[in-house]
């Protein structure tokens, strides 16, 4: 007898039983093939999802640092040091 179920689909349209599996598949797709032989991307994607809170905090800190960052040479004055005499 037929029955109804819930499924989740990744960006490529592949079916997954859980939203975590679908998200991991999408993350692995973004990462591409990593390593020789079987790709390490699915395992890395799973770790990224598991550590999402820490990663989002890290990117938030990065964005805050970049907000007022000005690379050296972009209007900053730099004094060149003379080489030391041996």
């Amino acid at each position: 007898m037929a029955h109804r179920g819930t499924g989740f689909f990744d960006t490529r349209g592949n079916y997954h039983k859980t939203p975590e599996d679908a998200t991991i598949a999408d993350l692995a797709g973004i990462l591409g093939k990593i390593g020789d032989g079987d790709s390490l991307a699915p395992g890395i994607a799973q770790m990224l999802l598991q550590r999402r809170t820490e990663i989002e905090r890290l990117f938030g800190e990065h964005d805050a640092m970049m907000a007022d960052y000005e690379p050296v040479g972009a209007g900053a004055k730099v004094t060149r040091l003379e080489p030391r005499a041996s």
Side-chain angles (χ1 to χ4, degrees):
M1 180 166 134
H3 60 280
R4 183 178 9 183
T6 301
F8 302 90
F9 298 87
D10 62 23
T11 305
R12 294 173 32 193
N14 296 317
Y15 169 81
H16 299 275
K17 291 181 180 181
T18 67
E20 290 84 6
D21 290 344
T23 302
I24 289 168
D26 282 340
L27 284 170
I30 290 170
L31 293 171
K33 185 173 182 336
I34 300 173
D36 296 332
D38 289 341
S39 178
L40 300 174
I44 294 169
Q46 184 174 13
M47 294 297 294
L48 290 172
L49 187 59
Q50 289 173 349
R51 297 191 175 166
R52 177 181 175 175
T53 303
E54 299 154 69
I55 292 167
E56 287 176 343
R57 179 189 50 77
L58 180 67
F59 276 117
E61 292 171 0
H62 173 76
D63 291 344
M65 289 187 289
M66 292 300 292
D68 60 353
Y69 172 70
E70 189 173 318
V72 174
K77 292 189 177 196
V78 178
T79 304
R80 185 174 299 266
L81 299 175
E82 295 297 321
R84 292 184 190 180
S86 300

